[in-house]
Amino acid sequence: MSIVELNKDSFQEAIKPEGTLIVDFWAPWCGPCRGFAPVFEKAAAENPDVTFAKVNTDVEQELAGALGIRSIPTLMVFREQVLLFSQPGALSAGQLNELLAKVKELDMEKVHQDIADAQAKQDAEGGQA
């Protein structure tokens, strides 16, 4: 599978109700970003069931700022529209594969229920203030 380039207009659309999206925030001048690129590309080739995307933070400064990207590379992982992972720093191939395995194993029905429960609790507490 190829790697998709995202921008501020296509980012939200890429976070789909079904499937997994892994986003690499990078810049051409960033040495660690260039070092991580082959690891990211190999993982994309080995995981055709996952959408891999890149955001060039030099070009997409508004998007990077809105998402709180303060250092690069930063990796974000979404599954079923839920942000499951966000961390700066390049991962090794082993770390990236382990992360992908954990994301795929998650019981998303439980994750969505936990989010709904937390929101309901927050709404209830907010109503009492």
Side-chain angles (χ1 to χ4, degrees):
M1 173 172 231
S2 62
I3 297 173
V4 181
E5 287 286 334
L6 295 179
N7 59 40
K8 68 178 183 168
D9 297 323
S10 62
F11 187 83
Q12 196 61 44
E13 187 179 306
I15 303 170
K16 297 180 178 157
E18 71 289 331
T20 302
L21 171 69
I22 182 167
V23 185
D24 175 23
F25 292 85
W26 70 287
W29 51 264
C30 168
C33 298
R34 289 193 312 269
F36 178 62
V39 172
F40 193 74
E41 290 163 8
K42 185 173 189 273
E46 293 173 349
N47 294 277
D49 57 326
V50 175
T51 301
F52 284 76
K54 291 176 98 50
V55 173
N56 182 337
T57 57
D58 280 355
V59 175
E60 296 298 328
Q61 293 179 13
E62 185 179 339
L63 175 59
L67 293 169
I69 304 300
R70 302 212 185 289
S71 62
I72 52 174
T74 289
L75 210 57
M76 284 187 166
V77 180
F78 298 86
R79 184 167 164 206
E80 296 180 15
Q81 297 181 311
V82 177
L83 176 62
L84 298 173
F85 179 87
S86 179
Q87 179 177 305
L91 300 180
S92 69
Q95 291 170 320
L96 183 54
N97 289 335
E98 184 178 332
L99 173 62
L100 284 166
K102 287 181 178 180
V103 166
K104 290 178 182 183
E105 290 170 2
L106 273 176
D107 177 354
M108 289 306 293
E109 191 172 310
K110 181 174 181 343
V111 170
H112 286 291
Q113 185 60 53
D114 290 348
I115 291 169
D117 292 348
Q119 185 63 52
K121 181 179 179 186
Q122 184 179 9
D123 290 348
E125 289 172 354
Q128 296 174 356

